[in-house]
Amino acid sequence: MPLIDTLSRSGAFGPGDIEWLHLLTNEWQIIADTGYCDILLWVPEAVLDGNHHLLSQPLESDAGFLCLAQIRPSTTHTVFHTDRVGQQLSAGLLERAVASWNSHTPKGTDDEHTIKDIILDTEFIPLIRNGRPVALLSVHRENLGTRKRQQAERVYRDVAHHLLQMVSRGAWPEFSAPVGTAHGNPRVSDGLLMLDTDGSVLYASPNALSIYKRLGFSGDMVGESLLHLTRSLLPAGEKADETLPLVLTGRMPWRAEIKAKRQNVTFRAIPLRQFSRLGEERYGALLLCRDVTELRRRELEMMSKDATIREIHHRVKNNLQTVSALLRLQSRRMNSVEAKEGLEQAMRRVSTIAMVHEALSQGLTQEVNFDDLIGRQFNLAAELASPDQHVHTRIVGSFGKLPSQIATPLALVINEVVANAVEHGLAGQTGEVTLSCSHDYKPNGDHIMVVSVADNGVGLTDETRLMLESGDSSSGLGTQIVKTLVSSELGGSIHWSSVKPHGTLVTIEVLLSG
């Protein structure tokens, strides 16, 4: 079950608590990557059981914790090869966890028994909001003894330490920061810069140096103002993002993007703050950067492809409308009533296909909002089938979005069945035609869409129903088209039946997935 749903069921959390915890689990990959650690999120079991007062009271020594979320580092190996979500905290760690919760302070321990052959440094971090804990983080990393750490590892671990301190106070992540789901969102492994209060570079990771080298800078970045350095690399007259100064000085938790020397680079700033008598005071910033040149190129290609496909659908629609107009002109020259009706039916079928291509030309995907499409087509099909007849139309249920390979034949099938319901079912009388759609999800994963067209007309004789079901050639061209489309294009089935006290029901089943 998703984290936010699990926490919402308890009813014990205050305004913004659940949203902040959800935001934290969206962002804590940065801590795991810089701290070379696995992180687990724990909540007292009694809180999940609905104890509204437990968040403001000390826990008993035997209080249990349940793991609700877990993140692994992408910069080193994980220490947990199995998923811990849904498991209880081990008895050996419970004392430290309860102590951290009750004291509102981090508590560490050497846990030599949790993982075989690995000595872990385990630390519990209470997450404090509005003066009381709302959850607990456990941070686990392998103890490598007295091994001397390189500068990059020392800097990264310091970053993780600073972020965990901010997390513990509820100062990070910030609600004002954009959610990290954008295309090209920088990651720790892409490039990392540490800035001081003024925006000067204190440290640049090798990947960050490589990014700036591709932008045209090959010197030492340490001590340089990142904003001035970056601006000097922009083409003359290039108008930079207005948020760039605030991002490259680390003042705001925002994102920005630049383009220079045919390279696209995105930046994300995370201001680092410490608590003082004046409140949260900024003392530096973490800046993540990423070369998204190839990603932007692919996006442009996709946009161009989408535009081309939309233009093709638009032209196909125009060509089909031209064909429909030609059929209309030809029908007017016909003296034979049968020939005139045949051309009008062909014109109606061509117009139906044109409407599908018109819908496809409006969107970015090869899917059609079938409810919008069929709402117009349904009324039009009933009206064209018998212009002098008063027919009520009604739609029940929702089709949703359908792929074009389903939408086109289904629209044609509905068009034919509705026309048949008006012409033969109602047989010149005032009546109602109802189009219904329902979705049936089978235990085996099959998704079946059931479409039905019902009228309150004269109904079917057993002889007529058997003729329709058998596919007798004397049943008419429309019926032959419908049966062919349902079986070959939709991979479904169609059935005719009588409705008591009178009327006809046509049921079409289409397998959408499975």
Side-chain angles (χ1 to χ4, degrees):
M1 180 178 293
L3 171 66
I4 196 166
D5 293 340
T6 304
L7 296 176
S8 298
R9 287 191 308 162
S10 73
F13 294 88
D17 289 343
I18 297 176
E19 291 77 7
W20 182 79
L21 288 172
H22 187 63
L23 183 62
L24 172 62
T25 56
N26 282 336
E27 300 284 16
W28 63 352
Q29 184 71 61
I30 298 174
I31 304 176
D33 288 345
T34 54
Y36 305 100
C37 57
D38 290 69
I39 309 175
L40 282 67
L41 176 71
W42 304 89
V43 173
E45 292 182 89
V47 171
L48 297 176
D49 292 337
N51 190 327
H52 292 249
H53 306 290
L54 195 60
L55 292 179
S56 57
Q57 296 178 350
L59 291 178
E60 299 292 336
S61 59
D62 59 349
F65 285 84
L66 188 70
C67 180
L68 295 187
Q70 174 180 2
I71 192 69
R72 295 181 174 92
S74 60
T75 50
T76 187
H77 64 83
T78 180
V79 297
F80 295 128
H81 294 278
T82 58
D83 199 7
R84 295 302 178 98
V85 175
Q87 296 186 12
Q88 294 178 319
L89 184 64
S90 63
L93 296 174
L94 193 57
E95 180 182 353
R96 289 287 183 177
V98 172
S100 177
W101 180 279
N102 291 339
S103 66
H104 297 191
T105 57
K107 297 292 182 181
T109 180
D110 290 337
D111 177 22
E112 301 184 18
H113 307 290
T114 301
I115 303 295
K116 184 179 180 180
D117 298 329
I118 297 180
I119 300 178
L120 294 181
D121 287 336
T122 300
E123 185 178 19
F124 290 99
I125 309 290
L127 307 182
I128 311 299
R129 280 179 58 82
N130 299 317
R132 82 278 192 274
V134 295
L136 201 65
L137 291 184
S138 63
V139 181
H140 309 265
R141 58 171 64 92
E142 185 176 359
N143 187 325
L144 299 178
T146 59
R147 178 182 65 82
K148 186 177 180 180
R149 299 185 176 94
Q150 296 181 347
Q151 182 188 16
E153 184 177 353
R154 294 197 304 270
V155 172
Y156 279 33
R157 285 178 177 263
D158 284 344
V159 168
H161 175 71
H162 294 316
L163 290 177
L164 283 170
Q165 285 185 322
M166 293 170 62
V167 167
S168 182
R169 300 194 304 271
W172 187 82
E174 301 180 52
F175 282 110
S176 61
V179 178
T181 57
H183 291 294
N185 185 37
R187 302 158 298 191
V188 170
S189 57
D190 295 319
L192 182 146
L193 297 154
M194 287 294 294
L195 308 180
D196 63 15
T197 310
D198 299 323
S200 297
V201 178
L202 297 175
Y203 171 81
S205 71
N207 284 345
L209 291 171
S210 297
I211 288 174
Y212 269 83
K213 186 174 182 179
R214 290 193 291 273
L215 291 175
F217 181 83
S218 57
D220 186 6
M221 296 181 67
V222 175
E224 296 284 346
S225 167
L226 185 64
L227 176 60
H228 295 158
L229 187 157
T230 305
R231 276 180 167 170
S232 69
L233 301 175
L234 297 178
E238 176 75 14
K239 186 177 181 181
D241 191 329
E242 60 184 11
T243 63
L244 192 65
L246 296 174
V247 172
L248 295 186
T249 55
R251 298 181 183 277
M252 296 300 295
W254 295 344
R255 292 178 174 85
E257 184 168 337
I258 64 169
K259 184 174 183 180
K261 291 188 176 295
R262 298 183 179 180
Q263 303 291 314
N264 292 76
V265 178
T266 60
F267 297 91
R268 179 190 177 183
I270 301 176
L272 299 177
R273 297 185 172 93
Q274 58 189 359
F275 189 76
S276 67
R277 59 184 181 88
L278 299 176
E280 293 288 340
E281 183 179 4
R282 186 176 64 87
Y283 64 90
L286 163 67
L287 206 73
L288 302 178
C289 56
R290 180 180 179 183
D291 187 338
V292 292
T293 306
E294 183 63 19
L295 180 61
R296 295 294 179 257
R297 185 186 66 80
R298 291 178 181 176
E299 288 176 350
L300 286 174
E301 287 182 352
M302 289 299 297
M303 290 175 62
S304 176
K305 179 182 178 182
D306 288 338
T308 301
I309 292 174
R310 290 199 303 272
E311 179 62 22
I312 290 173
H313 285 302
H314 181 71
R315 294 188 181 188
V316 169
K317 182 259 302 185
N318 288 343
N319 291 338
L320 289 172
Q321 287 179 336
T322 300
V323 172
S324 180
L326 292 173
L327 290 172
R328 184 183 299 110
L329 289 173
Q330 189 67 38
S331 69
R332 291 173 181 173
R333 295 176 176 268
M334 289 293 176
N335 295 322
S336 168
V337 175
E338 184 178 355
K340 186 183 291 285
E341 289 180 352
L343 288 173
E344 288 177 349
Q345 289 176 358
M347 178 185 67
R348 186 173 65 231
R349 291 161 186 152
V350 170
S351 297
T352 299
I353 301 174
M355 291 184 70
V356 175
H357 283 281
E358 181 183 14
L360 289 169
S361 69
Q362 304 299 319
L364 294 175
T365 65
Q366 291 300 294
E367 289 188 331
V368 177
N369 188 329
F370 203 75
D371 293 306
D372 292 342
L373 172 70
I374 206 62
R376 294 173 290 160
Q377 182 62 27
F378 179 40
N379 294 327
L380 183 61
E383 182 180 343
L384 291 177
S386 185
D388 300 326
Q389 188 176 338
H390 187 61
V391 179
H392 298 283
T393 57
R394 187 164 63 100
I395 297 179
V396 179
S398 174
F399 291 85
K401 290 188 175 182
L402 300 178
S404 59
Q405 62 267 29
I406 296 292
T408 301
L410 182 60
L412 282 169
V413 168
I414 292 174
N415 179 80
E416 295 295 333
V417 173
V418 170
N420 193 65
V422 174
E423 294 175 8
H424 304 290
L426 298 180
Q429 303 299 316
T430 297
E432 182 178 77
V433 178
T434 302
L435 173 64
S436 304
C437 179
S438 62
H439 297 267
D440 187 11
Y441 297 90
K442 301 293 185 181
N444 63 357
D446 288 352
H447 175 194
I448 298 175
M449 182 172 64
V450 182
V451 181
S452 63
V453 177
D455 65 71
N456 57 355
V458 296
L460 288 175
T461 64
D462 289 340
E463 181 181 356
T464 303
R465 182 181 61 78
L466 290 173
M467 180 183 67
L468 292 170
E469 294 279 0
S470 64
D472 192 321
S473 58
S474 62
S475 60
L477 178 61
T479 303
Q480 296 297 318
I481 291 174
V482 165
K483 291 180 69 67
T484 301
L485 289 174
V486 170
S487 60
S488 62
E489 298 294 327
L490 298 176
S493 60
I494 182 169
H495 304 283
W496 286 263
S497 59
S498 295
V499 180
K500 294 181 179 181
H502 46 74
T504 304
L505 174 66
V506 182
T507 305
I508 305 151
E509 292 188 356
V510 180
L511 179 63
L512 293 183
S513 64

